[in-house]
Amino acid sequence: MKKPLPLFPASLIGSMPRSKEVLSALRMTRSGRMEPSDFDRLIEAETRKVVRLQEASGIDIVTSGELGRDNYVSFVAGKIGGVRMMSMSDMLEYIDDKKAFEDMLTALDVPAVSIKNAICVGRLQYEGEIVASELRMLKRLTDKPVKITLPGPYLLTRSMWLPNLSGQAYGSKEELGQDVVRILKEEMDNLASIGVDVIQFDEPVLTEVVFTEGKPRSFMCAALSERKDPKEELEFAASLIGQVMAHVDRTQTVASLHVCRGNWSKNESTLLTGPYTPLLELFAKVNPDLLTLEFSTPRAGELSSLLADPRIAAHTALGLGAINPRTDDVETIDSIISKAQEAATYLPVDRIWLNPDCGFATFSNSPVNVLETIAGKIRSLTEAASVLRSKHHEANG
C-alpha cells in the first residue's frame, strides 16, 4: 500500500546543483578516466547531503537531486542500448536545415556546450535499469516516502529522433515511440519490485508543441525532430504517455506527470508563456494521479484555466508549483499559502501538493540557483505546508 502522506505534502521536482567534484567526475566518467564504482561512491555521498537537506527542511517525499545525470534526458544514453550521447556539433552533421538549427541555438540563453543529447542510433535495448540504481540508493539513504523521476515517453521519443541517423533503425518516429514505451514499462516493473512511492514522468516538450507555433523552435534537446501540427502531435504524445501511465500500479505508487515551460534560463523572456488550456484534453486522456505543474509565474496562466475543467477537478491531484527555481528572492510563506488557498477553491485540500515549478539544475553545468537560496526556498515551502495543515485541521476539528 502507498505510504500515508500529510495534507499539502511537499516535494522537490528533481534536479539539484552538482558540486565541482561531481561535475569533474561526470566528465571523467564519460571519458573513461574514472571507474564507475568510484563515481557511484561519490554520487551516493553527495546524494546523502541532498537527502539530509530535504529531511532537515521538512520535505515529505524525498528525491535524489539527479546528481549523477548529465541532464534531465540525455543521461539515458548510458542506460539504453542503441542510444549515443552527442554534442550539438556532432548532431549538426545530420541536420538538413543547418541554418534553422544554428538559429535555434542562438535563441537559447544557455551555452551550447551545456547541451548534449541522447540520440537513437540503433534498435533500442533495455539493459537492466535506467534509474533503478538511483532508487535503491535513495531508499538506503532515507525512510521517508521517495519519488523517482524519469523522462516521459514523448520527451524521449522526440529528443532521441534524429531522422537522418535514427531513421536507419526505425521507419518512423512513431515506431521508435513504441519501443520507448516498451523500455519504460520494463523499467517501471523494476522500480515497482524495489518499491517506489511516486513515479514522476517529465514531459516539458508538450509546451513546446502548443506555445511555439509560428515562432522559433526553442526547446533544447527535443527541438531537433520534425514536428507535425499541434493536434496530431498532442494525439501522438497522449498515446505514448497514456500507455505508460496505465502501467503504473496505482495501489502502490502515485503516477505523476510534470509539465513545465523550460527551466534552463533565469531570463524569463526566453521561456515559453501560456495557460494549460491547450493541454486539458491530453491531461484528461492520460489520467495521472498527480499533475505537477508550474504556477509561480504569470507565464503559467491562471489556476482557473486548469482547475475549472471538471475532468481535472473531479479526481486529479495538483502538484502546485509555488516557488520559482530561477529567482534569487526567497518566496514568502504567505505567498505560498495564498496560492494554495486559491487552489483549494477548486480542489479538496487532500488533493493539493506543494512543490517548486521545476528542478534547480536541469543541465548539470548550468544550474539556475545556488544551494543557500534553494535551502531558503525549501524552508518557505515546508513552513507554508505546516501552516496550511494547522489551518485545515482546525477547520475540520
Side-chain angles (χ1 to χ4, degrees), residues 280 291 306-317 346-348 351:
L280 291 175
L291 274 171
L306 173 79
L307 299 180
D309 189 297
R311 296 170 299 179
I312 306 301
H315 57 82
T316 308
Y346 299 93
L347 295 178
R351 285 201 272 123

Side-chain angles (χ1 to χ4, degrees), residues 35-54:
E35 290 295 324
S37 58
D38 292 334
F39 178 76
D40 291 344
R41 277 192 290 273
L42 172 64
I43 294 302
E44 182 152 350
E46 294 284 313
T47 302
R48 182 177 286 107
K49 298 175 188 175
V50 170
V51 169
R52 296 294 170 262
L53 171 63
Q54 292 174 78

Side-chain angles (χ1 to χ4, degrees), residues 174-187:
E174 289 72 18
E175 185 187 348
L176 170 63
Q178 288 310 309
D179 249 8
V180 168
V181 167
R182 173 183 59 80
I183 289 208
L184 285 176
K185 285 181 177 179
E186 292 188 74
E187 177 72 355

Side-chain angles (χ1 to χ4, degrees), residues 78-349:
K79 308 287 186 178
I80 300 174
V83 181
R84 188 168 83 219
M85 183 85 84
M86 297 179 72
S87 69
M88 293 291 112
S89 57
D90 292 335
M91 286 182 270
L92 189 59
E93 178 184 346
Y94 300 96
I95 300 290
D96 289 330
D97 191 344
K98 291 180 170 52
K99 182 181 185 306
F101 180 61
E102 289 167 346
D103 288 347
M104 183 263 292
L105 290 181
T106 302
L108 298 175
D109 183 41
V110 68
V113 70
S114 297
I115 311 171
K116 293 184 178 65
N117 211 17
I119 296 295
C120 169
V121 296
R123 301 292 294 190
L124 302 190
Q125 297 169 10
Y126 183 65
E127 298 189 333
E129 56 186 49
I130 302 170
V131 294
S133 60
E134 195 174 294
L135 175 61
R136 282 191 290 269
M137 172 183 65
L138 196 52
K139 289 175 73 75
R140 285 195 299 271
L141 296 175
T142 186
D143 294 325
K144 286 198 162 197
V146 295
K147 173 167 75 174
I148 201 73
T149 60
L150 273 165
Y154 179 62
L155 168 62
L156 281 172
T157 303
R158 276 284 303 277
S159 63
M160 290 199 297
W161 179 251
L162 190 56
N164 288 343
L165 193 53
S166 313
Q168 296 172 27
Y170 289 94
S172 67
K173 185 174 64 176
E174 289 72 18
E175 185 187 348
L176 170 63
Q178 288 310 309
D179 249 8
V180 168
V181 167
R182 173 183 59 80
I183 289 208
L184 285 176
K185 285 181 177 179
E186 292 188 74
E187 177 72 355
M188 291 159 67
D189 290 342
N190 201 352
L191 298 175
S193 70
I194 298 166
V196 59
D197 301 288
V198 182
I199 296 180
Q200 173 185 298
F201 293 97
D202 297 332
E203 287 288 5
V205 189
L206 293 173
T207 55
E208 192 267 349
V209 173
V210 296
F211 298 137
T212 59
E213 189 70 8
K215 300 175 185 175
R217 304 288 292 282
S218 60
F219 212 102
M220 293 296 180
C221 304
L224 301 174
S225 67
E226 86 279 15
R227 182 185 66 189
K228 299 178 181 178
D229 73 74
K231 184 174 185 297
E232 283 185 86
E233 204 66 26
L234 289 180
E235 287 173 355
F236 175 52
S239 72
L240 300 180
I241 300 166
Q243 291 178 70
V244 168
M245 286 288 168
H247 197 70
V248 179
D249 179 354
R250 308 295 180 95
T251 67
Q252 303 293 325
T253 304
V254 173
S256 175
L257 176 63
H258 170 57
V259 181
C260 69
R261 289 160 180 72
N263 191 44
W264 57 84
S265 172
K266 297 182 79 135
N267 179 359
E268 290 280 323
S269 68
T270 69
L271 304 176
L272 298 172
T273 298
Y276 290 100
T277 314
L279 295 174
L280 291 175
E281 185 72 27
L282 179 142
F283 290 162
K285 279 182 180 177
V286 305
N287 189 34
D289 294 315
L290 179 68
L291 274 171
T292 307
L293 306 174
E294 286 184 285
F295 272 112
S296 78
T297 75
R299 290 187 299 103
E302 299 295 326
L303 271 167
S304 59
S305 67
L306 173 79
L307 299 180
D309 189 297
R311 296 170 299 179
I312 306 301
H315 57 82
T316 308
L318 173 65
L320 177 64
I323 60 176
N324 188 335
R326 296 172 298 278
T327 59
D328 296 329
D329 297 328
V330 173
E331 287 78 2
T332 65
I333 296 170
D334 285 346
S335 69
I336 298 169
I337 290 171
S338 175
K339 185 67 75 174
Q341 295 284 41
E342 183 186 353
T345 63
Y346 299 93
L347 295 178
V349 293

Side-chain angles (χ1 to χ4, degrees), residues 387-397:
V387 171
L388 285 161
R389 285 166 199 158
S390 297
K391 281 186 177 182
H392 286 276
H393 282 309
E394 289 169 8
N396 297 330

